[in-house]
Amino acid sequence: DIQMTQSPSSLSASVGERVTITCRASQSISNYLNWYQQKPGKAPNLLIYAASSLQSGVPSRFSGSASGTDFTLTISSLQPEDFATYYCQQSYSTPLLTFGGGTKVEIK
Amino acid sequence: QVQLVESGGGVVQPGRSLRLSCAASGFTFSIYGMHWVRQAPGKGLEWVALISYDGSNKYYADSVKGRFTISRDNSKNTLYLQMNSLRVEDTAVYYCAKDRWAVVGPTTYFDYWGQGTLVTVSS
């Protein structure tokens, strides 16, 4: 099975800060990596698909990139509504899909 | 707009069964793959099962294989998850999620999610 390791598991940041979350795959997954945002008590929401494509309606401050088996989600300027938990998910081994453990972004 | 509404959750004893439903609207249900994803209390997301657009292909996580059955009724725009031999570790919020594609492949992702239904397995 492909393991997805996210880091950090949590972080504290201030409004306006640049935030970077990393997801590492246990093997090559090409660019088959997606990112979701989940707020407390709510369903996840798709942010980025295919490593770097922004889902329609998602603010442009969110971006994704890839380098080998490392994937990065960047929030260029953190907004109050961005405090949430973020998950990566690989689809390379479809139909066996796996998520990272999540990164909780909290207010500093 | 796309809506996915889960129902059927509740409290059940270990070893018993439960069937979840997911009513879909706002899109052509019969041409998309559909998934169940769960989240144990305070934990991360776990993919559970996938069914192809026509119900001909079904896939399961190892943790539920042989106990859970995914199905769909395209005439009713409804997705189901039959859960048998439930265990305490199956306690979670269960989400149905729409796949971006009809035929699921490595480019797949979940583009819409329901609000979830809580299943609690406890004696």
Side-chain angles (χ1 to χ4, degrees):
Chain A
D1 291 6
I2 298 176
Q3 309 300 320
M4 306 302 296
T5 303
Q6 277 186 246
S7 60
S9 57
S10 65
L11 64 89
S12 296
S14 301
V15 172
E17 272 192 55
R18 182 183 182 88
V19 169
T20 298
I21 298 168
T22 297
C23 183
R24 174 169 289 173
S26 59
Q27 67 180 72
S28 174
I29 59 169
S30 186
N31 69 333
Y32 299 125
L33 190 285
N34 310 305
W35 289 98
Y36 301 85
Q37 175 194 66
Q38 186 179 34
K39 296 181 180 179
K42 301 294 186 182
N45 181 52
L46 176 69
L47 298 175
I48 301 283
Y49 62 93
S52 60
S53 295
L54 192 68
Q55 171 69 349
S56 175
V58 174
S60 59
R61 62 181 180 274
F62 290 93
S63 64
S65 63
S67 177
T69 58
D70 290 341
F71 299 83
T72 300
L73 174 69
T74 300
I75 309 172
S76 60
S77 177
L78 197 66
Q79 298 302 301
E81 60 269 30
D82 301 337
F83 292 96
T85 300
Y86 295 84
Y87 293 93
C88 63
Q89 172 248 321
Q90 67 81 21
S91 56
Y92 178 85
S93 64
T94 297
L96 302 180
L97 307 171
T98 51
F99 291 88
T103 296
K104 186 174 184 180
V105 177
E106 299 176 303
I107 303 173
K108 181 183 283 184
Chain B
Q1 73 280 21
V2 172
Q3 278 202 305
L4 299 169
V5 180
E6 301 94 336
S7 61
V11 180
V12 62
Q13 292 180 328
R16 303 298 290 266
S17 299
L18 206 60
R19 189 178 83 155
L20 306 182
S21 300
C22 171
S25 61
F27 67 103
T28 307
F29 179 73
S30 61
I31 64 171
Y32 291 98
M34 295 293 296
H35 302 258
W36 287 99
V37 177
R38 70 183 180 183
Q39 187 170 35
K43 302 297 184 182
L45 301 167
E46 179 188 18
W47 172 80
V48 172
L50 157 66
I51 188 167
S52 60
Y53 70 101
D54 61 355
S56 61
N57 294 291
K58 304 175 183 181
Y59 306 94
Y60 301 92
D62 286 345
S63 58
V64 307
K65 197 175 297 182
R67 300 187 299 121
F68 289 12
T69 302
I70 190 172
S71 62
R72 65 191 298 160
D73 185 336
N74 285 346
S75 69
K76 296 182 178 179
N77 289 348
T78 302
L79 175 72
Y80 302 100
L81 186 68
Q82 177 67 42
M83 304 185 294
N84 298 333
S85 303
L86 281 161
R87 304 169 179 169
V88 171
E89 55 265 35
D90 294 320
T91 294
V93 173
Y94 285 74
Y95 296 101
C96 67
K98 173 186 169 294
D99 197 280
R100 172 62 181 86
W101 309 108
V103 178
V104 177
T107 58
T108 198
Y109 52 88
F110 312 109
D111 59 353
Y112 292 95
W113 299 64
Q115 85 290 349
T117 187
L118 176 62
V119 173
T120 302
V121 184
S122 173
S123 53

